[in-house]
Amino acid sequence: GFVPHVIIDTGRNGVVDMRHDCKNWCNIRGAGVGLKPTTETADPEIIDAYFWLKTPGESDGCSQTLPDGAQCPRYDADCGSEDSLGSGPNEPPAPEAGQWYDYQIKQLAANARLSPSSDVASASTANFMRLKSAVGMSAVNATLPSLSVNPFVGRSFYVNPVY
């Protein structure tokens, strides 16, 4: 039967090594949309699907100052990192989390890698294999329930009805 393993969020991972520090996560400058959502993965024994878990173009969080000039009530210092859009000169401030960020979607589209390429695929596979080795997937597999089929195959991928 089907044993669930890993879903990889490819909504913003189309560019390898775009961050100065891997702990930075908010509206990353230089990011691009990654592989299209699919269950056809590089390693189907371990990777169940690639999904865009967060809608590309939705802000991860706000800059200290919002686009309208007001102060963001839910500002997170991580959204002001050196890697975050809206923290650099000549970049518009980022709106609150979940709000449409036009500047970001244009960057994500410009840097998109919707299908595998040798450089992205090899780096992603190498990173995944290191993780797989460190975690010890056989121990994880023993604790997961078994299903008869992969529940992601043949499913419609989520589309935010607001857009």
Side-chain angles (χ1 to χ4, degrees):
F2 173 72
V3 177
H5 299 96
V6 176
I7 295 172
I8 297 177
D9 181 0
T10 59
R12 296 164 191 236
N13 75 346
V15 176
V16 176
D17 295 330
M18 72 259 180
R19 295 178 276 199
H20 290 96
D21 190 326
C22 67
K23 74 175 180 142
N24 296 336
W25 56 268
C26 187
N27 300 322
I28 298 301
R29 182 181 300 106
V33 171
L35 299 176
K36 293 180 279 189
T38 183
T39 55
E40 295 177 19
T41 67
D43 186 349
E45 296 295 315
I46 299 298
I47 307 169
D48 300 323
Y50 302 130
F51 280 148
W52 294 346
L53 297 177
K54 180 164 181 123
T55 303
E58 285 185 358
S59 178
D60 295 323
C62 52
S63 305
Q64 194 163 13
T65 303
L66 293 168
D68 68 3
Q71 294 299 295
C72 180
R74 288 179 281 287
Y75 175 69
D76 182 321
D78 287 338
C79 292
S81 77
E82 67 179 320
D83 293 321
S84 297
L85 289 172
S87 65
N90 304 316
E91 292 176 342
E96 292 203 49
Q99 297 298 308
W100 189 250
Y101 192 10
D102 190 66
Y103 188 80
Q104 180 189 51
I105 191 60
K106 289 174 181 171
Q107 172 198 265
L108 291 170
N111 296 332
R113 301 290 181 267
L114 300 176
S115 59
S117 68
S118 59
D119 60 332
V120 172
S122 63
S124 295
T125 301
N127 287 337
F128 183 75
M129 295 311 283
R130 280 195 296 275
L131 174 65
K132 182 177 169 181
S133 174
V135 170
M137 291 307 289
S138 60
V140 173
N141 288 346
T143 64
L144 295 171
S146 178
L147 303 173
S148 59
V149 296
N150 182 334
F152 304 110
V153 173
R155 299 284 181 170
S156 298
F157 294 101
Y158 174 77
V159 176
N160 189 330
V162 174
Y163 303 120

